[in-house]
Amino acid sequence: MLEYRQLGNTAMKPQVEYEPEYEPQQKTQKQTPVKKKKLEGTKEVPLPIKIKIISRVLLVTALALLMVARFAAVSIANIGLEEAKKTVKEQQVKNTDLESILAGSMQLDTIQEKAMALGMSFPSSDQMVYINLVPYSDLVSKNNANIKQNKKSILSQVID
C-alpha cells in the first residue's frame, strides 16, 4: 500500500508502507546455553607452547619499539645538527661582513687622514730608531765561541 506524506505545503515522494509477510513466532521455552563444540581435528595448544609464542611476540614488539626509539633519537640529532649548521653559516656571513668593514677601516689613506685630523705628523729623522737584527745561527755560533774562550759551563753563565 502506498502512503502519501506532506511536509508543510510540499508533497513528498510516495513510499511503500512496510507490511511483513509473516509474523515470527515467539518461543516461550527457555533457551538452554549452547556448549562450545570442539572442531574436529583440532587439539588444545599446551601451555609451554603458548608461553613461547607470547614471549616471541613480545620480543619482536620490544625490538620494533627499540628501533623506533633509535630512529627518533637519530632524527632529533639530525635536527640539532641542521640547526647548528644554520647557525654556523649565519656566523660566517656576519664574520665576512665584519672583515670587510675592518678591511675598509684599515686602509692607509683613512688611517693617515685620521692621524692628521688628530694633529699627528710624519716622524722626523731624530725620532726614528733603527734596529739591527742578527740571524739566530750567528747568535748560536757567537755563544759557542764565548763558551770555548771562557771555558765556563752554561749553568755558570746563567748564574753570572
Side-chain angles (χ1 to χ4, degrees):
M1 174 175 222
L2 290 178
E3 177 184 340
Y4 292 97
R5 294 185 318 161
Q6 284 184 320
L7 184 62
N9 61 355
T10 307
M12 304 296 285
K13 188 175 183 180
Q15 293 180 345
V16 178
E17 197 175 292
Y18 175 72
E19 295 179 9
E21 292 180 16
Y22 66 93
E23 292 290 326
Q25 296 177 355
Q26 297 194 4
K27 295 183 181 178
T28 55
Q29 300 174 355
K30 290 184 178 178
Q31 293 182 351
T32 58
V34 179
K35 293 182 179 179
K36 292 182 180 177
K37 296 181 181 179
K38 286 188 178 180
L39 296 175
E40 294 179 17
T42 60
K43 296 180 182 177
E44 177 94 15
V45 179
L47 183 64
I49 294 177
K50 286 181 182 178
I51 291 173
K52 254 187 198 177
I53 292 171
I54 290 173
S55 64
R56 287 181 182 170
V57 168
L58 289 175
L59 177 67
V60 168
T61 304
L63 290 175
L65 289 174
L66 180 67
M67 286 176 47
V68 169
R70 294 304 300 162
F71 182 74
V74 169
S75 296
I76 290 171
N78 279 340
I79 290 170
L81 180 65
E82 290 300 321
E83 288 175 358
K85 284 181 180 178
K86 182 180 175 184
T87 305
V88 166
K89 283 188 178 184
E90 289 173 358
Q91 292 300 325
Q92 285 175 343
V93 168
K94 285 181 183 177
N95 198 15
T96 305
D97 292 343
L98 290 175
E99 284 178 354
S100 65
I101 291 170
L102 182 64
S105 67
M106 292 293 287
Q107 293 178 357
L108 292 177
D109 296 337
T110 59
I111 294 172
Q112 187 176 1
E113 288 174 7
K114 288 180 182 178
M116 294 291 188
L118 292 173
M120 296 182 180
S121 62
F122 287 103
S124 60
S125 61
D126 60 332
Q127 294 175 327
M128 292 185 193
V129 177
Y130 294 99
I131 300 173
N132 290 330
L133 297 176
V134 180
Y136 179 74
S137 58
D138 292 345
L139 289 175
V140 171
S141 62
K142 197 181 225 182
N143 191 26
N144 287 338
N146 285 341
I147 290 173
K148 288 180 183 177
Q149 285 178 355
N150 297 334
K151 293 190 179 182
K152 291 183 178 179
S153 68
I154 294 176
L155 184 62
S156 63
Q157 288 180 5
V158 171
I159 291 173
D160 291 342

